[in-house]
Amino acid sequence: MLAPMAAYVCPRCRVNSPADALTWCCPRCRGPWDLDFTSAPVSLTSLASRVNSLWRYKEALPLATESPRVSLGEGRTPLVALTEDVSAKLDFLMPTLSFKDRGAVMLAELARRLAPRRVLADSSGNAGTAIAAYCARAGLDSEVYVPQATSAKKLEQIRAHGARLTLVPGDREATARAAREAADEPGVFYASHVYNPHFLHGTKTYVYELWEDLGGRLPDTLVVPVGNGTLLLGAALAIEELHGHGLIDTRPPLIAVQAAAVAPLARAFEAGAEDLLEPEPARPTLAEGIAIPNPPRAAQILHAVRATGGTFLTVTEDQLHTAQLDLARRGLFVESTGAACWAAVRATPPRPGLTVLPLCGAGAKTGVGAGVGRG
């Protein structure tokens, strides 16, 4: 039995659209959608007998079914101690080697139901790979727009899943503009990890897994990297749902981490602004996966951090490089962006209690100090 599709709603204009209309953004402000979806409480005691993927949290997921059609066994990643008080959730152990699988499986399931003429995504790294893989699993053809300078390893992985590649001259922003223009064509499903809110309802399972693994509680502090904010906003959704259903007593603070070289959200937060300030030129950074100068959901990200009593931290290039090598010496080889949270925690020890951070992407994708594409 298929769950009914929730409707889209613009958080700024309050414009509504059915999810099966292939309307990828608000027609009035061209901003990203939210989802008009109300979760039901998940029973902790029922989880032991459920499917071993993120679909186990069916009460909390739009598109959930008794037997989900699209899955590669994503989710259920290990939680491993780094110190006595800090643990890492190994989301680089996903099928495509990054946390983006959590959202990509939701978009692929939605696309399977809608049966569009064409599935389109834009990326320069992990999100494009994840969309390509899950579309292949769903039996859908896909096309991924990428910057011309995307690393050969990324291109090889996307091609291996059967996706068509469109190489776009220019930077990540130019690639996004080209994809959005193509997304306006009739019959196109834009599998955007930024604009489509189903992606956020996939990433929120990161926090549901922590709640399950910790026996019905959450860590005292959650540290997450932030570029477009897809993991942080998913985490915020889960925290609000769990608290609203009475499944946790308090909301842990969300500590958002950006590279000092590209930190528009951290600057806005420090200034007390509700949205981005005037843009500054982006500088090169090893943490290319979070080097987003103009995130479309900036206001939502800033609100989510403040609502939990959290803050922003920034890390330097030396701190990123050192943290990546330190994790590798501990047996965990992650991409440079994936080391950002560990770099922040090493530089600014969190408050007492358990702190959890994600290791978001595998180092095998990029090597030491090479960085990754901006999602």
Side-chain angles (χ1 to χ4, degrees):
M1 178 179 177
L2 295 180
M5 291 187 193
Y8 294 140
V9 59
C10 175
R12 182 181 302 171
C13 307
R14 310 313 300 176
V15 172
N16 290 277
S17 173
D20 59 0
L22 298 181
T23 307
W24 63 268
C25 69
C26 172
R28 184 177 298 171
C29 70
R30 300 285 285 180
W33 291 120
D34 280 350
L35 202 62
D36 185 9
F37 170 76
T38 301
S39 69
V42 176
S43 168
L44 188 65
T45 57
S46 73
L47 292 173
S49 61
R50 294 193 182 184
V51 62
N52 195 34
S53 75
L54 61 75
W55 291 109
R56 67 200 281 109
Y57 309 110
K58 58 186 179 181
E59 296 91 343
L61 293 176
L63 308 177
T65 67
E66 290 299 322
S67 180
R69 294 285 297 276
V70 180
S71 181
L72 290 167
E74 59 289 323
R76 306 294 293 136
T77 54
L79 188 63
V80 174
L82 297 177
T83 69
E84 184 177 347
D85 299 319
V86 180
S87 291
K89 189 159 175 58
L90 309 190
D91 259 26
F92 69 91
L93 298 181
M94 291 280 192
T96 76
L97 307 182
S98 90
F99 87 96
K100 296 287 176 62
D101 290 14
R102 293 186 183 276
V105 67
M106 300 294 293
L107 295 186
E109 173 62 20
L110 178 58
R112 184 191 68 79
R113 296 189 191 186
L114 299 180
R117 179 177 60 81
R118 181 181 175 202
V119 177
L120 174 72
D122 63 291
S123 175
S124 57
N126 293 333
T129 300
I131 294 297
Y134 281 90
C135 281
R137 185 68 171 178
L140 298 167
D141 292 333
S142 63
E143 182 174 4
V144 181
Y145 281 52
V146 296
Q148 221 166 28
T150 300
S151 71
K153 287 183 179 180
K154 303 281 187 193
L155 299 181
E156 180 182 6
Q157 192 176 9
I158 293 170
R159 282 196 183 102
H161 292 305
R164 296 185 302 279
L165 277 168
T166 295
L167 302 179
V168 180
D171 60 11
R172 181 68 180 86
E173 292 299 313
T175 301
R177 286 193 298 270
R180 290 195 292 265
E181 183 176 341
D184 284 329
E185 297 174 7
V188 173
F189 175 72
Y190 184 27
S192 172
H193 60 291
V194 179
Y195 281 82
N196 194 304
H198 286 88
F199 196 94
L200 305 181
H201 284 268
T203 61
K204 77 182 180 185
T205 59
Y206 172 87
V207 167
Y208 273 91
E209 288 178 19
L210 290 174
W211 171 77
E212 180 183 359
D213 290 341
L214 296 175
R217 68 181 183 92
L218 290 182
D220 299 282
T221 305
L222 288 168
V223 184
V224 290
V226 176
N228 276 310
T230 55
L231 183 56
L232 183 139
L233 291 173
L237 274 173
I239 290 169
E240 288 305 308
E241 289 175 359
L242 289 166
H243 189 266
H245 292 310
L247 298 174
I248 56 173
D249 295 326
T250 58
R251 302 175 180 89
L254 287 166
I255 309 301
V257 179
Q258 295 207 286
V262 187
L265 292 160
R267 287 196 305 116
F269 183 88
E270 187 175 348
E274 295 183 0
D275 210 331
L276 296 178
L277 305 174
E278 288 297 315
E280 289 185 353
R283 291 173 286 160
T285 176
L286 295 174
E288 289 183 359
I290 52 174
I292 309 297
N294 188 29
R297 294 187 184 270
Q300 290 177 285
I301 296 166
L302 292 166
H303 173 77
V305 172
R306 290 190 175 109
T308 63
T311 191
F312 276 80
L313 300 174
T314 61
V315 292
T316 67
E317 299 305 294
D318 284 345
Q319 288 172 329
L320 283 166
H321 183 69
T322 300
Q324 186 188 28
L325 293 177
D326 181 74
L327 286 168
R329 299 295 187 270
R330 297 167 184 263
L332 301 167
F333 184 36
V334 301
E335 63 193 14
S336 303
T337 300
C341 290
W342 181 230
V345 168
R346 282 163 53 90
T348 308
R351 68 180 192 175
L354 175 63
T355 292
V356 172
L357 55 88
L359 300 182
C360 294
K365 290 190 170 200
T366 59
V368 176
V372 300
R374 287 199 291 265

